[in-house]
């Protein structure tokens, strides 16, 4: 045994392979962790986007209901105006 000399990994082929596999394993683990963080972030963004779409659809439905109500009122007012004009036309014809 060489108690006074440091052990160099390059002298031991098994140690070189172990260091290489350990380094590769560490980087593989790091890649998997980063991949999972990115996948989680993407899923959250998609969920937030879906929620925004849901809110927009709800707002659109409310606006559509308001628009239908305004259209109904406009038709009622136009009908009343036509009745009034027709009544005035009849009166004018009777006067002549």
């Amino acid at each position: 045994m060489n108690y006074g000399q440091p052990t160099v990994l390059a002298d031991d082929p098994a140690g070189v392979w172990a260091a290489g596999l350990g380094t590769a394993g560490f980087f593989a683990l790091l890649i998997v962790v980063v991949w999972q963080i990115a996948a989680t972030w993407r899923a959250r963004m998609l969920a937030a986007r879906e929620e925004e779409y849901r809110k927009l659809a709800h707002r659109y439905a409310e606006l559509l209901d308001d628009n239908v109500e305004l259209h109904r009122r406009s038709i009622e007012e136009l009908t009343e105006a036509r009745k009034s004009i027709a009544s005035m036309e009849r009166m004018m014809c009777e006067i002549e």
Side-chain angles (χ1 to χ4, degrees):
M1 297 198 145
N2 298 336
Y3 289 110
Q5 296 181 355
T7 303
V8 179
L9 288 178
D11 291 341
D12 183 17
V16 171
W17 277 101
L21 287 175
T23 302
F26 173 75
F27 282 112
L29 177 67
L30 190 62
I31 289 169
V32 168
V33 167
V34 169
W35 189 282
Q36 288 300 314
I37 289 171
T40 302
W41 178 78
R42 184 172 183 263
R44 285 182 183 166
M45 296 317 271
L46 289 174
R49 185 184 306 165
E50 184 177 330
E51 182 63 28
E52 287 298 318
Y53 284 148
R54 207 173 284 132
K55 286 179 185 177
L56 282 174
H58 180 69
R59 180 71 178 136
Y60 176 74
E62 288 176 351
L63 289 173
L64 185 61
D65 288 342
D66 291 345
N67 194 20
V68 167
E69 179 62 25
L70 287 172
H71 186 58
R72 185 190 61 76
R73 286 184 198 168
S74 297
I75 289 174
E76 287 177 359
E77 289 176 7
L78 183 59
T79 302
E80 290 297 318
R82 285 182 179 168
K83 286 179 186 178
S84 179
I85 291 171
S87 174
M88 285 195 300
E89 284 178 347
R90 278 193 302 269
M91 280 184 5
M92 304 270 288
C93 286
E94 290 176 2
I95 292 176
E96 293 178 356

